[in-house]
Amino acid sequence: MSSVTVRVPAKVNVQLSVGPLRDDGYHDLVNVFHAVSIFDEVEARESELVKVGVEGEWADQVPLDDGNLAIQAARALAKHAGRGYGVELVIRKAIPVAGGMAGGSADAAGALVACNELWGLGLPPEDLMEIAADLGSDVPFSLLGGTAVGTGRGEQLTGLETNGTFHWVFAIADGGLSTAKVYAECDRLREATGEAVGWPQVSEPLLTALRTGDAHALGAVLTNDLQPAALMLRRSLARTLETGRELGALGAIVSGSGPTCAFLAADAGHARDLAISLTASAVCHTAAPTTGPAPGAHLI
Ligand code: C5P
Protein backbone atom coordinates (compact mmCIF):
# COMPACT_ATOMS: atom_id res chain seq x y z
CA MET A 1 0.00 0.00 0.00
CA SER A 2 1.61 3.30 -1.04
CA SER A 3 -1.07 5.77 0.14
CA VAL A 4 -4.18 5.90 2.35
CA THR A 5 -6.64 8.74 2.96
CA VAL A 6 -8.73 9.46 6.07
CA ARG A 7 -11.63 11.91 6.51
CA VAL A 8 -12.07 13.59 9.89
CA PRO A 9 -14.92 15.86 11.06
CA ALA A 10 -14.98 19.24 12.76
CA LYS A 11 -16.84 19.58 16.07
CA VAL A 12 -19.00 22.02 17.95
CA ASN A 13 -19.52 21.86 21.72
CA VAL A 14 -23.24 21.92 22.50
CA GLN A 15 -22.37 22.19 26.20
CA LEU A 16 -18.99 23.40 27.40
CA SER A 17 -18.93 23.73 31.19
CA VAL A 18 -15.55 24.73 32.57
CA GLY A 19 -14.64 23.81 36.14
CA PRO A 20 -11.82 25.23 38.27
CA LEU A 21 -8.22 25.49 37.05
CA ARG A 22 -6.26 22.34 37.93
CA ASP A 23 -2.65 22.12 39.12
CA ASP A 24 -1.57 20.84 35.68
CA GLY A 25 -2.84 24.01 33.95
CA TYR A 26 -5.97 22.34 32.52
CA HIS A 27 -9.60 22.66 33.60
CA ASP A 28 -11.98 19.84 34.44
CA LEU A 29 -14.81 19.98 31.95
CA VAL A 30 -18.19 18.71 31.03
CA ASN A 31 -17.78 18.94 27.29
CA VAL A 32 -20.62 17.66 25.09
CA PHE A 33 -18.98 17.23 21.69
CA HIS A 34 -20.99 16.99 18.46
CA ALA A 35 -19.18 16.16 15.21
CA VAL A 36 -20.36 18.04 12.10
CA SER A 37 -19.96 17.43 8.37
CA ILE A 38 -17.05 19.74 7.65
CA PHE A 39 -14.15 17.37 6.95
CA ASP A 40 -10.40 17.61 6.65
CA GLU A 41 -8.71 14.87 4.63
CA VAL A 42 -5.38 13.46 5.72
CA GLU A 43 -3.49 11.41 3.14
CA ALA A 44 -0.49 9.35 4.27
CA ARG A 45 2.07 8.43 1.57
CA GLU A 46 5.11 6.23 1.84
CA SER A 47 8.23 8.25 2.64
CA GLU A 48 11.61 7.82 4.31
CA LEU A 49 11.13 10.94 6.46
CA VAL A 50 8.19 12.37 8.43
CA LYS A 51 6.95 15.46 6.59
CA VAL A 52 3.73 17.36 5.94
CA GLY A 53 2.14 19.49 3.23
CA VAL A 54 -1.15 21.39 3.51
CA GLU A 55 -3.67 22.27 0.78
CA GLY A 56 -6.94 24.22 0.81
CA GLU A 57 -8.29 27.64 1.74
CA TRP A 58 -6.65 27.79 5.19
CA ALA A 59 -3.35 26.12 4.20
CA ASP A 60 -1.11 29.15 4.75
CA GLN A 61 -2.12 29.34 8.43
CA VAL A 62 -0.98 25.79 9.27
CA PRO A 63 2.56 25.19 10.63
CA LEU A 64 4.69 22.74 8.62
CA ASP A 65 7.27 22.08 11.34
CA ASP A 66 7.05 20.01 14.54
CA GLY A 67 4.35 22.42 15.79
CA ASN A 68 1.99 20.61 13.40
CA LEU A 69 -0.18 18.26 15.48
CA ALA A 70 -0.44 15.70 12.64
CA ILE A 71 3.38 15.44 12.55
CA GLN A 72 3.36 14.97 16.34
CA ALA A 73 0.72 12.25 15.93
CA ALA A 74 2.77 10.35 13.33
CA ARG A 75 5.88 10.54 15.52
CA ALA A 76 3.95 9.42 18.63
CA LEU A 77 2.50 6.43 16.75
CA ALA A 78 5.94 5.42 15.40
CA LYS A 79 7.34 5.67 18.95
CA HIS A 80 4.49 3.52 20.27
CA ALA A 81 5.25 0.94 17.56
CA GLY A 82 8.95 1.11 18.49
CA ARG A 83 10.18 1.83 14.94
CA GLY A 84 11.48 4.84 13.03
CA TYR A 85 8.74 4.91 10.40
CA GLY A 86 8.52 7.77 7.89
CA VAL A 87 5.45 9.23 6.21
CA GLU A 88 4.50 12.12 3.95
CA LEU A 89 1.24 13.60 5.21
CA VAL A 90 -0.90 15.71 2.88
CA ILE A 91 -3.66 17.59 4.71
CA ARG A 92 -6.54 19.00 2.68
CA LYS A 93 -8.08 21.60 4.99
CA ALA A 94 -11.74 22.53 5.10
CA ILE A 95 -11.96 23.07 8.89
CA PRO A 96 -10.99 26.63 9.87
CA VAL A 97 -7.60 26.97 11.60
CA ALA A 98 -7.69 28.05 15.30
CA GLY A 99 -11.46 28.37 14.85
CA GLY A 100 -12.76 26.45 17.89
CA MET A 101 -13.78 23.48 15.72
CA ALA A 102 -10.89 21.11 16.59
CA GLY A 103 -9.22 21.40 13.18
CA GLY A 104 -5.71 20.64 14.47
CA SER A 105 -7.09 17.77 16.57
CA ALA A 106 -8.88 16.41 13.49
CA ASP A 107 -5.62 16.35 11.53
CA ALA A 108 -3.85 14.56 14.40
CA ALA A 109 -6.63 11.96 14.61
CA GLY A 110 -6.51 11.55 10.82
CA ALA A 111 -2.74 11.04 10.91
CA LEU A 112 -3.11 8.33 13.61
CA VAL A 113 -5.69 6.36 11.61
CA ALA A 114 -3.85 6.84 8.30
CA CYS A 115 -0.40 5.87 9.62
CA ASN A 116 -1.83 2.89 11.53
CA GLU A 117 -3.10 1.64 8.16
CA LEU A 118 -0.12 2.67 5.99
CA TRP A 119 2.39 1.07 8.33
CA GLY A 120 0.21 -2.04 8.77
CA LEU A 121 0.30 -1.73 12.57
CA GLY A 122 -3.26 -2.93 13.15
CA LEU A 123 -3.49 -1.14 16.50
CA PRO A 124 -6.99 -1.32 18.07
CA PRO A 125 -9.06 1.87 18.65
CA GLU A 126 -8.26 1.80 22.41
CA ASP A 127 -4.53 2.19 21.69
CA LEU A 128 -5.13 5.04 19.23
CA MET A 129 -7.40 6.72 21.84
CA GLU A 130 -4.62 6.59 24.42
CA ILE A 131 -2.05 8.14 22.07
CA ALA A 132 -4.68 10.70 21.00
CA ALA A 133 -5.30 11.85 24.59
CA ASP A 134 -1.59 12.66 25.02
CA LEU A 135 -1.63 14.78 21.85
CA GLY A 136 -4.51 17.06 22.90
CA SER A 137 -7.77 17.16 24.86
CA ASP A 138 -9.98 17.08 21.73
CA VAL A 139 -8.07 14.48 19.68
CA PRO A 140 -9.87 11.40 21.13
CA PHE A 141 -13.23 12.88 20.12
CA SER A 142 -11.99 13.49 16.57
CA LEU A 143 -11.35 9.73 16.39
CA LEU A 144 -14.74 8.83 17.87
CA GLY A 145 -17.09 11.34 16.19
CA GLY A 146 -20.88 11.30 16.65
CA THR A 147 -21.98 12.97 19.88
CA ALA A 148 -20.26 12.31 23.20
CA VAL A 149 -19.76 13.67 26.71
CA GLY A 150 -16.13 14.43 27.51
CA THR A 151 -14.99 14.70 31.13
CA GLY A 152 -11.58 15.18 32.72
CA ARG A 153 -9.90 17.70 30.43
CA GLY A 154 -12.29 16.50 27.71
CA GLU A 155 -10.48 13.31 26.77
CA GLN A 156 -12.58 10.79 28.75
CA LEU A 157 -15.48 10.06 26.43
CA THR A 158 -18.90 8.46 26.71
CA GLY A 159 -20.84 8.21 23.45
CA LEU A 160 -24.42 9.56 23.37
CA GLU A 161 -27.39 8.30 21.38
CA THR A 162 -29.05 11.00 19.31
CA ASN A 163 -32.03 10.96 17.03
CA GLY A 164 -32.12 12.34 13.49
CA THR A 165 -30.00 15.08 11.98
CA PHE A 166 -29.32 18.56 13.35
CA HIS A 167 -28.85 21.41 10.86
CA TRP A 168 -26.15 23.95 11.70
CA VAL A 169 -24.64 27.05 10.18
CA PHE A 170 -21.04 27.96 11.03
CA ALA A 171 -19.99 31.57 10.66
CA ILE A 172 -16.25 31.53 10.09
CA ALA A 173 -14.29 34.58 11.24
CA ASP A 174 -11.23 36.26 9.77
CA GLY A 175 -8.29 35.00 11.85
CA GLY A 176 -8.23 32.53 14.73
CA LEU A 177 -8.10 32.62 18.54
CA SER A 178 -5.61 30.73 20.73
CA THR A 179 -7.38 28.13 22.88
CA ALA A 180 -4.89 28.64 25.72
CA LYS A 181 -5.47 32.42 25.66
CA VAL A 182 -9.27 31.99 25.76
CA TYR A 183 -9.03 29.67 28.80
CA ALA A 184 -6.67 32.17 30.48
CA GLU A 185 -9.14 35.00 29.78
CA CYS A 186 -11.93 32.86 31.24
CA ASP A 187 -9.88 32.48 34.46
CA ARG A 188 -9.11 36.21 34.51
CA LEU A 189 -12.78 37.18 34.11
CA ARG A 190 -13.84 34.76 36.83
CA GLU A 191 -11.27 36.16 39.22
CA ALA A 192 -12.20 39.76 38.39
CA THR A 193 -15.91 39.15 39.00
CA GLY A 194 -15.42 36.81 41.98
CA GLU A 195 -17.61 34.24 40.24
CA ALA A 196 -17.93 30.98 42.22
CA VAL A 197 -16.77 28.13 39.99
CA GLY A 198 -18.65 24.92 40.71
CA TRP A 199 -18.03 21.37 39.59
CA PRO A 200 -19.41 21.04 36.02
CA GLN A 201 -22.55 18.93 35.55
CA VAL A 202 -24.02 17.58 32.36
CA SER A 203 -27.33 19.28 31.47
CA GLU A 204 -30.27 16.82 31.55
CA PRO A 205 -32.47 19.00 29.25
CA LEU A 206 -29.59 19.00 26.75
CA LEU A 207 -29.29 15.20 26.84
CA THR A 208 -33.06 14.90 26.33
CA ALA A 209 -33.01 17.31 23.38
CA LEU A 210 -30.18 15.32 21.75
CA ARG A 211 -31.86 11.97 22.41
CA THR A 212 -35.20 13.08 20.98
CA GLY A 213 -33.69 15.05 18.07
CA ASP A 214 -35.56 18.20 19.17
CA ALA A 215 -33.72 21.13 17.54
CA HIS A 216 -35.92 23.81 19.17
CA ALA A 217 -35.23 22.36 22.64
CA LEU A 218 -31.49 21.97 21.88
CA GLY A 219 -31.25 25.55 20.62
CA ALA A 220 -32.64 26.84 23.91
CA VAL A 221 -30.08 25.04 26.10
CA LEU A 222 -26.76 25.46 24.21
CA THR A 223 -24.12 26.72 26.68
CA ASN A 224 -20.46 27.63 26.47
CA ASP A 225 -18.55 28.88 29.52
CA LEU A 226 -15.74 30.08 27.22
CA GLN A 227 -18.08 32.42 25.35
CA PRO A 228 -17.64 35.52 27.58
CA ALA A 229 -13.86 35.16 27.26
CA ALA A 230 -14.00 34.73 23.46
CA LEU A 231 -16.29 37.80 23.22
CA MET A 232 -13.87 39.80 25.35
CA LEU A 233 -10.94 38.88 23.06
CA ARG A 234 -12.96 39.36 19.84
CA ARG A 235 -15.63 42.04 20.47
CA SER A 236 -17.12 41.71 16.96
CA LEU A 237 -18.49 38.23 17.76
CA ALA A 238 -21.33 39.74 19.83
CA ARG A 239 -22.72 41.26 16.64
CA THR A 240 -22.28 38.00 14.72
CA LEU A 241 -24.28 36.09 17.37
CA GLU A 242 -26.95 38.81 17.56
CA THR A 243 -27.36 38.85 13.77
CA GLY A 244 -27.90 35.08 13.71
CA ARG A 245 -30.52 35.33 16.45
CA GLU A 246 -32.31 38.15 14.60
CA LEU A 247 -32.32 35.95 11.49
CA GLY A 248 -34.23 33.28 13.41
CA ALA A 249 -31.54 30.83 14.55
CA LEU A 250 -32.90 28.43 17.20
CA GLY A 251 -29.66 28.83 19.14
CA ALA A 252 -26.48 30.89 18.72
CA ILE A 253 -23.19 30.11 20.42
CA VAL A 254 -19.44 30.56 20.07
CA SER A 255 -17.98 27.21 18.95
CA GLY A 256 -15.52 26.00 21.62
CA SER A 257 -12.86 28.66 22.17
CA GLY A 258 -14.02 30.51 19.01
CA PRO A 259 -13.99 32.63 16.97
CA THR A 260 -16.30 30.49 14.76
CA CYS A 261 -19.96 31.01 15.73
CA ALA A 262 -22.47 28.14 15.52
CA PHE A 263 -26.17 28.61 14.75
CA LEU A 264 -28.77 25.88 15.02
CA ALA A 265 -31.44 25.84 12.31
CA ALA A 266 -34.84 24.13 12.13
CA ASP A 267 -34.14 22.21 8.91
CA ALA A 268 -31.92 22.16 5.79
CA GLY A 269 -33.80 25.01 4.07
CA HIS A 270 -33.58 27.21 7.16
CA ALA A 271 -29.85 26.50 7.43
CA ARG A 272 -29.28 27.42 3.78
CA ASP A 273 -31.22 30.70 4.13
CA LEU A 274 -29.44 31.56 7.38
CA ALA A 275 -26.03 30.93 5.80
CA ILE A 276 -26.84 33.16 2.81
CA SER A 277 -28.14 35.98 5.05
CA LEU A 278 -25.17 35.78 7.45
CA THR A 279 -22.68 35.91 4.59
CA ALA A 280 -24.55 38.85 3.03
CA SER A 281 -24.66 40.74 6.35
CA ALA A 282 -20.83 40.79 6.44
CA VAL A 283 -20.61 39.82 10.14
CA CYS A 284 -18.28 36.96 9.26
CA HIS A 285 -15.78 35.87 6.61
CA THR A 286 -18.19 33.25 5.30
CA ALA A 287 -21.08 31.13 6.61
CA ALA A 288 -21.71 27.52 5.63
CA PRO A 289 -24.64 25.16 6.32
CA THR A 290 -23.79 21.67 7.59
CA THR A 291 -25.22 18.78 9.59
CA GLY A 292 -24.44 16.68 12.64
CA PRO A 293 -23.73 14.18 13.98
CA ALA A 294 -20.93 13.12 11.62
CA PRO A 295 -18.71 10.02 11.85
CA GLY A 296 -15.25 10.19 13.43
CA ALA A 297 -11.95 9.66 11.58
CA HIS A 298 -12.47 7.01 8.88
CA LEU A 299 -10.60 5.61 5.88
CA ILE A 300 -12.00 6.52 2.46
O1 C5P B 1 -5.27 19.86 25.20
P1 C5P B 1 -4.92 20.99 24.27
O2 C5P B 1 -3.45 21.03 23.95
O3 C5P B 1 -5.77 21.05 23.06
O4 C5P B 1 -5.24 22.31 25.08
C1 C5P B 1 -4.80 23.59 24.64
C2 C5P B 1 -4.84 24.55 25.82
O5 C5P B 1 -6.20 24.76 26.23
C3 C5P B 1 -4.15 24.03 27.07
O6 C5P B 1 -2.78 24.35 27.05
C4 C5P B 1 -4.88 24.76 28.17
O7 C5P B 1 -4.39 26.08 28.30
C5 C5P B 1 -6.30 24.87 27.64
N1 C5P B 1 -7.19 23.80 28.15
C6 C5P B 1 -7.62 23.87 29.47
N2 C5P B 1 -8.44 22.90 29.95
C7 C5P B 1 -8.86 21.88 29.17
C8 C5P B 1 -8.45 21.81 27.81
C9 C5P B 1 -7.60 22.79 27.34
O8 C5P B 1 -7.26 24.80 30.21
N3 C5P B 1 -9.68 20.96 29.68
Side-chain angles (χ1 to χ4, degrees), residues 3-91:
S3 155
V4 294
T5 301
V6 173
R7 285 178 98 201
V8 203
K11 62 84 186 161
V12 60
N13 308 90
V14 288
Q15 178 186 351
L16 182 44
S17 297
V18 179
L21 179 63
R22 309 192 315 201
D23 290 345
D24 65 1
Y26 286 89
H27 299 75
D28 277 303
L29 307 177
V30 162
N31 191 348
V32 183
F33 293 103
H34 181 67
V36 294
S37 299
I38 301 173
F39 296 98
D40 278 2
E41 282 182 15
V42 181
E43 184 183 350
R45 300 176 182 160
E46 278 182 0
S47 166
E48 294 287 311
L49 303 171
V50 177
K51 53 188 176 181
V52 69
V54 186
E55 300 170 358
E57 189 179 354
W58 319 105
D60 59 340
Q61 297 169 40
V62 181
L64 300 177
D65 56 13
D66 283 358
N68 186 298
L69 211 52
I71 289 267
Q72 293 173 26
R75 290 200 201 286
L77 188 66
K79 190 168 171 215
H80 181 94
R83 279 192 48 189
Y85 290 105
V87 65
E88 180 184 359
L89 297 168
V90 179
I91 300 171

Side-chain angles (χ1 to χ4, degrees), residues 25-29 135-138 152-154 179-180 183:
Y26 286 89
H27 299 75
D28 277 303
L29 307 177
L135 291 164
S137 309
D138 291 350
R153 59 186 170 85
T179 303
Y183 273 100

Side-chain angles (χ1 to χ4, degrees), residues 8 108-110 112-113 125 128-129 132 138-145 295-298:
V8 203
L112 288 178
V113 173
L128 295 185
M129 281 288 194
D138 291 350
V139 185
F141 179 73
S142 298
L143 286 175
L144 185 69
H298 57 281

Side-chain angles (χ1 to χ4, degrees), residues 266-290:
D267 52 38
H270 185 205
R272 196 187 53 239
D273 293 348
L274 198 52
I276 291 169
S277 302
L278 278 165
T279 303
S281 66
V283 292
C284 55
H285 173 76
T286 174
T290 186

